[in-house]
Amino acid sequence: MMKHFIVFIFLVLSSTVFSQNDEKIIILKDAETQQPIEDATVLVVKTKQMVLSNSEGKVSFLLKGTSNIQITHTSYVSQTLRSSTLKEKINVVFLKNNVNNLEEIIITKQHPQKILISLIENSKKALTVPARLKVYSREFFKLNGVYSYYNDGIMNFQLFDKTKKFNSNILVEQNRSVGLLEKNISADLLGYNLNDIMENYYNFKYLNLLLDPKAKKEFEFLIRVYSANKELYSMTVIPSAINKNLVDDFTIIYDPKKKMIIEVSSVLAPSTMAKFEDKTAVGSKNIFKSNFKAMYRIEGTFYYLVSSKEEIGFDKIEKEGSKSIEVRNYFVTTNFSNQNYIYKESEVFKDKTLFNKHNVILTDFWNNSGLDTTEEEQEIINSIEDLIYDK
């Protein structure tokens, strides 16, 4: 009798544990257009887990008991849900668009470049350091039109020095690499240089081009009230007619009261590329695609990187002909803390990229990564795996 009772208690407790660790999926959609919402940040308050919606508007996360779920996006009204309202495994949530069709131009006494310099300096000072960021990274590599390599991993970044370099140490929890690569493809093309990635993002290195005194003439600066959120401003910087370089169009979204940057993005416009002839010399590169986006989060007194996406495509001229290379990278912070990690120096990852690290797979971490794969991306991963088995 006692044995049966113990078994009964075990089953009840097991059922409770599993019910408190349910996976939930949310599909975020625009309340007006019904279109999926990409790049929304979803925070599970109880566990502080952060996830980012993909291009299908999808996020997934584990619930460990009841919690508030906070959903934020610069273009939408923020929303807080109680997890108990998510009755189904897959739940559709509609967000109200903030968009105001009137984009008021802001007239300033200072040149916008000077405002940008001030924004960057203030944002760098405001970034929370020391801090630790748990990050999920993902990379796709395409060679001559065929996806041939993929890697992803979970890393912990410890930022411990707020000097010009924003020094950090990296501890890799898990990682996997799938695919085959030609030996003569430089490893420098494969993913982030992890040694300086945080330095780049925390110093807003991608905006350095716009800070040069010559940039006042080589670029056109314009500040508007951000159409998607009247509390924010949007600074656009595009190459002027006298600019002779192949450069991106830039957009900086910022909080004018706090003087802090919320989002930085850039894209190489087709109209810019059309002005340049392809290079033919061996060793030269002809860029046909380039875009970048980094998002930052203000959470009370904390301010930190939330995510980034980089994509580049170019044709490399070689003696045997042209070789087309495309690389797409994602970087998502899934957990933030202002506390320090405890680790040994021998555990610190010192290489440039996960490409150089042997697979360490302890769990199916990609299924609870913070960034769900889209159907298209999963098909790419499957096709790369098929390439391996066909060899």
Side-chain angles (χ1 to χ4, degrees):
M1 182 71 177
M2 179 61 70
K3 181 179 180 181
H4 290 165
F5 178 74
I6 292 173
V7 171
F8 173 76
I9 292 296
F10 174 77
L11 291 173
V12 170
L13 290 175
S14 298
S15 175
T16 302
V17 169
F18 281 113
S19 66
Q20 290 179 344
N21 288 272
D22 289 339
E23 181 189 30
K24 292 293 182 181
I25 296 172
I26 293 178
I27 308 297
L28 296 171
K29 291 188 176 184
D30 186 296
E32 184 176 343
T33 67
Q34 311 293 302
Q35 293 300 305
I37 300 172
E38 186 176 9
D39 290 338
T41 301
V42 178
L43 174 66
V44 182
V45 175
K46 185 174 183 178
T47 61
K48 296 185 178 180
Q49 180 191 8
M50 271 188 299
V51 293
L52 195 72
S53 62
N54 64 18
S55 59
E56 298 171 341
K58 181 183 176 183
V59 296
S60 63
F61 49 87
L62 290 177
L63 276 178
K64 299 180 180 180
T66 305
S67 174
N68 282 343
I69 312 295
Q70 295 178 353
I71 306 172
T72 56
H73 192 291
T74 54
S75 300
Y76 291 85
V77 176
S78 297
Q79 191 171 145
T80 299
L81 305 174
R82 195 65 176 160
S83 61
S84 56
T85 64
L86 304 176
K87 302 296 185 182
E88 309 296 332
K89 182 175 181 179
I90 302 177
N91 304 267
V92 179
V93 175
F94 295 94
L95 300 184
K96 184 179 178 182
N97 202 312
N98 259 334
V99 172
N100 178 358
N101 292 327
L102 297 176
E103 289 192 332
E104 178 187 352
I105 295 176
I106 304 298
I107 307 299
T108 61
K109 293 181 180 179
Q110 292 181 317
H111 189 281
Q113 187 198 54
K114 193 169 183 178
I115 293 174
L116 179 59
I117 292 172
S118 177
L119 274 172
I120 292 173
E121 289 304 314
N122 191 68
S123 296
K124 286 162 61 175
K125 291 177 182 177
L127 283 162
T128 304
V129 176
R132 62 184 187 187
L133 279 69
K134 187 171 185 176
V135 170
Y136 172 71
S137 72
R138 176 186 297 163
E139 173 189 55
F140 292 95
F141 178 85
K142 198 175 189 180
L143 177 62
N144 293 329
V146 178
Y147 283 100
S148 56
Y149 175 74
Y150 168 86
N151 77 37
D152 63 352
I154 301 288
M155 296 173 287
N156 296 293
F157 284 80
Q158 177 66 61
L159 284 78
F160 56 86
D161 190 8
K162 202 168 184 176
T163 63
K164 290 183 178 180
K165 290 192 67 175
F166 280 99
N167 292 322
S168 64
N169 281 337
I170 308 167
L171 289 84
V172 179
E173 284 189 15
Q174 301 188 63
N175 68 287
R176 62 172 178 168
S177 297
V178 180
L180 302 170
L181 289 167
E182 295 186 1
K183 292 181 180 179
N184 61 344
I185 297 295
S186 170
D188 291 334
L189 298 175
L190 306 177
Y192 303 99
N193 182 342
L194 298 174
N195 290 328
D196 59 16
I197 189 67
M198 281 300 173
E199 178 189 350
N200 292 344
Y201 290 141
Y202 273 52
N203 275 319
F204 299 91
K205 183 180 177 180
Y206 293 87
L207 298 177
N208 283 352
L209 179 67
L210 309 180
L211 308 184
D212 191 286
K214 295 185 295 184
K216 286 185 179 181
K217 293 183 178 180
E218 294 180 345
F219 289 90
E220 297 176 2
F221 293 75
L222 184 63
I223 301 176
R224 297 184 178 94
V225 174
Y226 183 39
S227 62
N229 188 333
K230 65 181 181 180
E231 302 297 324
L232 303 176
Y233 283 1
S234 171
M235 181 185 296
T236 56
V237 188
I238 61 174
S240 65
I242 67 168
N243 198 315
K244 304 300 181 183
N245 300 305
L246 185 65
V247 291
D248 290 4
D249 295 357
F250 293 85
T251 302
I252 302 98
I253 298 171
Y254 65 97
D255 186 322
K257 294 180 180 177
K258 296 180 180 179
K259 298 181 179 179
M260 293 160 68
I261 294 173
I262 305 297
E263 184 177 301
V264 177
S265 61
S266 70
V267 62
L268 186 58
S271 57
T272 300
M273 287 188 284
K275 298 176 183 178
F276 294 83
E277 294 184 0
D278 285 348
K279 302 171 185 176
T280 57
V282 173
S284 60
K285 298 176 183 178
N286 294 308
I287 298 175
F288 59 82
K289 179 192 297 182
S290 174
N291 60 73
F292 161 78
K293 184 176 184 180
M295 297 166 53
Y296 300 82
R297 180 179 176 89
I298 302 172
E299 186 180 325
T301 58
F302 298 141
Y303 176 48
Y304 55 93
L305 175 75
V306 170
S307 69
S308 73
K309 177 183 177 181
E310 298 185 43
E311 193 170 12
I312 187 166
F314 59 88
D315 294 322
K316 185 178 180 181
I317 309 301
E318 299 183 343
K319 291 181 180 180
E320 298 79 14
S322 177
K323 180 176 289 183
S324 177
I325 296 171
E326 295 179 57
V327 183
R328 189 196 328 162
N329 301 316
Y330 300 90
F331 202 72
V332 180
T333 298
T334 62
N335 192 277
F336 167 85
S337 173
N338 65 337
Q339 302 299 313
N340 291 325
Y341 287 108
I342 298 175
Y343 56 89
K344 299 176 182 178
E345 185 62 28
S346 59
E347 297 173 332
V348 176
F349 182 70
K350 298 183 182 296
D351 217 330
K352 288 184 177 181
T353 168
L354 290 179
F355 167 67
N356 299 319
K357 191 177 187 307
H358 294 297
N359 287 356
V360 177
I361 302 173
L362 305 176
T363 66
D364 56 347
F365 64 87
W366 49 88
N367 288 330
N368 188 33
S369 63
L371 180 65
D372 283 29
T373 53
T374 63
E375 290 184 7
E376 178 189 15
E377 289 170 339
Q378 190 57 53
E379 287 177 3
I380 292 169
I381 297 170
N382 293 341
S383 69
I384 294 172
E385 291 177 336
D386 291 341
L387 280 176
I388 298 174
Y389 296 124
D390 290 341
K391 291 289 183 178

